Each structure stands twice: as structure tokens, then as C-alpha cells.
Amino acid sequence: GMHRGDLGQFRTDIVDEGDKFLLNAELPGFQRENISIDLNNNTLTITAKKDEKTEEKKDNYIRRERRYGSFTRSFDVTGINTEAINASYDNGVLTLELPKEQPVTPPSRQIAIQ
């Protein structure tokens, strides 16, 4: 179950694949349309919102319950080619592909001596 202190967080792990990072976030029970990924400068923020309404009918008494939860995590994506980030959501797991920026090496040249 949820421990106190975990609220608002979700489990993520990041794997370094060499030319890219793979970020897996566990978001079971969320709909794809309730997950948003925002990029602001070098901060990538994943937000997942849960808005659940449940109704229980019992002995002519209706109990309405509304649970609302917002989970958010931010990641520093300095050094990532943010134009090329890919996201997919499957079976409760959000996967982000974060390609690394290729360092630009100036071409080497020989300087002529005047």
C-alpha cells in the first residue's frame, strides 16, 4: 500500500542505454489522457492525475466517494536532445526515451604559420 511520505510520488527507474536514457515510470490505474509531460527549460515534469468517482448502493443508502490525487515528479534533462524525446504508455508503465545530445566537436584544422 501507500506509505506516508510516498504520496505524490511514483516509482521511476532510469536506465542508461549508452546513446539514450530510458525512463520508466510506474503509473498503474491511470488513463493515458490523465498523464501529462511538460518540458520547461531543462526540467521535464511528469504529472498524473486521478479523479475517481465511486458510488456504493447499500440498504437504500448511496455512498458517494470522490478521490482526487495528483502525482508529480521532475527530472533534470540537461544534456538530453529534448526535440527527440519519445513517450509511450503501456500497461500502467510510462516509458520515456531520452536521447543524449551528441557533443559537437569542432572540426580539427591546422593553423598555417604566417
Side-chain angles (χ1 to χ4, degrees), residues 54-64:
T54 54
E55 270 192 19
E56 235 178 78
K57 290 193 173 81
K58 199 175 172 185
D59 305 329
N60 298 324
Y61 171 74
I62 299 177
R63 196 182 75 152
R64 284 197 178 83

Side-chain angles (χ1 to χ4, degrees), residues 9-14 22-28 30 35 37 44 46-48 73 75 88-96:
Q9 294 283 308
F10 43 86
R11 215 187 99 106
T12 51
D13 48 58
I14 298 177
L22 278 186
L23 188 156
N24 291 314
E26 289 179 23
L27 293 166
F30 287 92
I35 302 170
I37 303 166
L44 180 101
I46 301 171
T47 307
R73 284 195 76 160
F75 301 91
S88 57
Y89 183 65
D90 189 37
N91 263 327
V93 179
L94 176 72
T95 302
L96 263 68

Side-chain angles (χ1 to χ4, degrees), residues 26-96:
E26 289 179 23
L27 293 166
F30 287 92
Q31 302 301 312
R32 183 185 267 113
E33 51 272 18
N34 293 343
I35 302 170
S36 59
I37 303 166
D38 296 288
L39 196 56
N40 186 7
N41 297 327
N42 280 324
T43 303
L44 180 101
T45 304
I46 301 171
T47 307
K49 290 191 169 77
K50 209 171 236 187
D51 192 355
E52 286 179 1
K53 297 181 204 65
T54 54
E55 270 192 19
E56 235 178 78
K57 290 193 173 81
K58 199 175 172 185
D59 305 329
N60 298 324
Y61 171 74
I62 299 177
R63 196 182 75 152
R64 284 197 178 83
E65 207 181 83
R66 190 175 179 145
R67 280 196 307 179
Y68 179 81
S70 178
F71 298 80
T72 179
R73 284 195 76 160
S74 295
F75 301 91
D76 181 7
V77 288
T78 307
I80 297 299
N81 176 0
T82 50
E83 307 276 302
I85 293 176
N86 270 322
S88 57
Y89 183 65
D90 189 37
N91 263 327
V93 179
L94 176 72
T95 302
L96 263 68

